[in-house]
Amino acid sequence: MTPTYPEQTSTSIFWKTLACCSIVTNALCSGGIFIFPLMSPVLADRCRLTQPQLTTVVLAAMMGQYPFAALAGKLIDRHGPSLCSAIAAVLYSTAFSAFSYHVYNAASDATNSPVSLYLTLSFGLAGLGTVFSYFSFLFAASRLFPKQPGVASGTSMALFGLSPLFLTSVASNWFTNRYTGVLQVVRFTAYLAVATGVVHLMGAVAFSRAGLNSKDEHTASRDLEDYPTETTRLLPPGERPEYIPEVHVKTDSTLGFLKHPQLWLLVLFCICIFGAGEMVISNIGTIVAALPADSSDSFGSTYAMDNTPQQVRMISIANTFTRIFIGPLADYVSPVASYLPNGTVVHARKHRISRISFLFGSATLLALTFFYASTGIKTQGSLWILSLGIGMGYSATFTVVPSIVSSIWGLKNLGRNFGILMYAPFIGTPMFSYFYAFVSQSHTTGGGICRGPECWQTTFRVATVTSLLALAIATTLWRQWRGRL
């Protein structure tokens, strides 16, 4: 008997439309932790925070994204995206309201250690909210558009990449003193507390009423012809299978996955790329403030506050458009392999180059970017090269790594395997960020923010070397996985 599905009603169409709008608003409002560089010069002055303390605050948010990703995934599997969106609303509102409160109460004659601790805890909650928000809109999009999962997830991730650009525009236009160019951190973070809470609560309601929490409805929304039968072609017309023995590694157990030697090469690659990239993204504000506007200008905080939003926008734009471009390009030139039970690997289209080539390109771009930054950047006018290079290299790696993991270790435990790999930035980001912080602090005289290229030249030279190490790792992986990706 042919099953029948309930027809779309005007009510269901309304809630699904509202759910689609909630996906957009959740994604656009989820990047609050990535615009910390706009706040750092103000915090250094108002709260008397040193560079290591500023680094600790932003690291709490950056690192807070990774340890609880597995928990968010389990909640999505069991309860759907509504619960994650509601949790994100509570975490965001609590985090940003507490942050605003403690900055407001920071007195000029107070010691900065307690303030630093409170701001660190607040931003850590914001980082935790980010991972729940990310999972909510990503899986809501995939369930709302089950026939186009690639487009749904890719579009929602691109919107997430645009979030820093959107929030920077809000901060610059509505919460920045037009005469001094100084961001009003207290008012802006109070706005974030209200805005993020409201949009994520609305998302929780919309996702629930649209039926996105129900696995049955998600499954029933697919047409019958989407499922294979006894007469369905296993291969596309004209496609010949390519046999590669022992191409698919059994990783049913976590221990078996961890025993695979190439995994640790990929982890080390991600530590080098993600750690160095997030170090720049987190500290671009103090990097801007370390340089004069031009060769004839002296250091000034006003211009630094004007130029920092531009650098955040460049990173966000490069991040977004690289994801939009690299994702489809990788799918076209390096289609993900499908594995038959006998060990045969099948590509939906002609396989032209290896996906490892994209890792090779990212490592090369970052090595060139860091080398130029350590030798050629003397004024703020040249920082756009650093911002664009970091945004492109960092996001390109993030775009192709999930498909590499699925191609080598399969789809069955992709969430677990990718989650384990994401401990790489959890390790790499604090390593690079604290190295930057203490090098910068060693060149600081008289308190405040470090001034001069020497504040980060040593850090960028080390990052150049680690990027070349990542390049060597990508070459090794290409040789070992040649023909598999």
Side-chain angles (χ1 to χ4, degrees):
M1 179 181 294
T2 302
T4 59
Y5 303 119
E7 294 183 356
Q8 297 276 352
T9 64
S10 58
T11 302
S12 66
I13 292 175
F14 168 78
W15 284 111
K16 288 183 178 180
T17 302
L18 188 59
C20 187
C21 295
S22 294
I23 291 170
V24 175
T25 55
N26 278 19
L28 286 178
C29 293
S30 298
I33 64 174
F34 300 106
I35 58 172
F36 182 80
L38 302 182
M39 310 177 196
S40 55
V42 178
L43 297 178
D45 179 58
R46 183 183 182 94
C47 302
R48 291 185 170 182
L49 298 186
T50 64
Q51 183 60 60
Q53 288 173 327
L54 290 172
T55 298
T56 300
V57 173
V58 70
L59 272 182
M62 300 297 286
M63 295 173 64
Q65 301 174 84
Y66 302 111
F68 296 94
L71 173 62
K74 288 185 178 181
L75 290 178
I76 287 287
D77 292 337
R78 294 183 180 181
H79 305 287
S82 292
L83 180 59
C84 280
S85 187
I87 292 174
V90 174
L91 290 172
Y92 273 142
S93 294
T94 303
F96 288 123
S97 59
F99 194 94
S100 178
Y101 173 79
H102 290 300
V103 174
Y104 176 78
N105 285 335
S108 59
D109 58 346
T111 58
N112 55 21
S113 295
V115 175
S116 174
L117 176 61
Y118 298 147
L119 297 185
T120 300
L121 293 176
S122 300
F123 236 52
L125 283 180
L128 184 57
T130 300
V131 71
F132 282 97
S133 175
Y134 182 85
F135 273 74
S136 72
F137 66 73
L138 180 62
F139 285 93
S142 298
R143 293 187 178 188
L144 190 60
F145 302 98
K147 295 181 183 179
Q148 299 88 22
V151 174
S153 60
T155 302
S156 57
M157 285 191 289
L159 289 170
F160 179 65
L162 277 176
S163 179
L165 175 63
F166 169 72
L167 294 178
T168 298
S169 298
V170 172
S172 299
N173 294 326
W174 294 347
F175 298 97
T176 298
N177 189 304
R178 66 179 62 184
Y179 301 107
T180 63
V182 176
L183 176 67
Q184 298 169 336
V185 174
V186 173
R187 292 181 57 201
F188 179 59
T189 49
Y191 158 79
L192 288 179
V194 175
T196 54
V198 169
V199 300
H200 283 85
L201 284 178
M202 291 178 60
V205 175
F207 297 156
S208 177
R209 296 299 298 270
L212 302 185
N213 295 336
S214 172
K215 295 181 180 179
D216 293 336
E217 179 169 336
H218 169 58
T219 302
S221 63
R222 297 180 182 268
D223 294 332
L224 287 177
E225 57 266 24
D226 291 340
Y227 295 94
T229 66
E230 307 90 60
T231 59
T232 303
R233 280 181 177 267
L234 292 178
L235 300 177
E239 181 71 35
R240 290 188 176 183
E242 175 188 4
Y243 180 73
I244 301 177
E246 300 180 1
V247 67
H248 193 46
V249 181
K250 278 191 170 293
T251 55
D252 290 341
S253 68
T254 303
L255 183 60
F257 176 66
L258 295 176
K259 286 182 177 180
H260 199 245
Q262 280 78 14
L263 166 67
W264 298 105
L265 287 177
L266 190 58
V267 167
L268 183 57
F269 177 92
C270 291
I271 288 175
C272 295
I273 298 299
F274 293 150
E278 291 187 355
M279 175 264 295
V280 174
I281 293 172
S282 302
N283 294 284
I284 191 66
T286 53
I287 293 174
V288 170
L291 295 173
D294 53 54
S295 57
S296 61
D297 192 17
S298 59
F299 299 107
S301 61
T302 300
Y303 186 87
M305 290 301 298
D306 287 339
N307 196 23
T308 298
Q310 297 178 17
Q311 304 307 319
V312 175
R313 292 189 191 103
M314 287 184 186
I315 293 175
S316 178
I317 292 172
N319 192 331
T320 301
F321 284 98
T322 299
R323 289 175 187 264
I324 294 175
F325 176 74
I326 292 296
L329 177 63
D331 287 340
Y332 180 74
V333 301
S334 307
V336 176
S338 299
Y339 297 94
L340 300 183
N342 63 352
T344 302
V345 58
V346 178
H347 297 288
R349 292 177 301 278
K350 182 178 179 181
H351 193 81
R352 291 174 171 83
I353 64 174
S354 170
R355 283 182 180 252
I356 300 297
S357 301
F358 292 95
L359 300 186
F360 187 92
S362 296
T364 302
L365 177 60
L366 288 185
L368 293 174
T369 299
F370 281 122
F371 176 76
Y372 177 79
S374 64
T375 58
I377 293 182
K378 305 296 183 184
T379 63
Q380 295 179 6
S382 302
L383 279 174
W384 65 270
I385 298 176
L386 175 66
S387 299
L388 291 182
I390 294 299
M392 294 169 63
Y394 173 82
S395 59
T397 303
F398 242 122
T399 303
V400 300
V401 163
S403 59
I404 291 175
V405 174
S406 65
S407 293
I408 296 299
W409 290 288
L411 290 171
K412 182 178 180 180
N413 298 298
L414 175 59
R416 180 204 68 189
N417 296 343
F418 184 68
I420 291 174
L421 189 62
M422 284 301 95
Y423 279 98
F426 183 73
I427 297 171
T429 300
M431 288 173 52
F432 280 91
S433 296
Y434 274 119
F435 185 79
Y436 165 85
F438 288 115
V439 169
S440 178
Q441 186 67 20
S442 67
H443 292 282
T444 302
T445 56
I449 295 176
C450 182
R451 305 291 186 177
E454 62 273 8
C455 299
W456 35 258
Q457 280 181 333
T458 300
T459 305
F460 286 174
R461 287 166 185 160
V462 171
T464 302
V465 175
T466 57
S467 298
L468 293 175
L469 173 60
L471 181 61
I473 293 172
T475 304
T476 302
L477 290 176
W478 179 82
R479 290 177 178 175
Q480 295 185 4
W481 286 339
R482 187 174 184 180
R484 302 184 183 185
L485 294 173

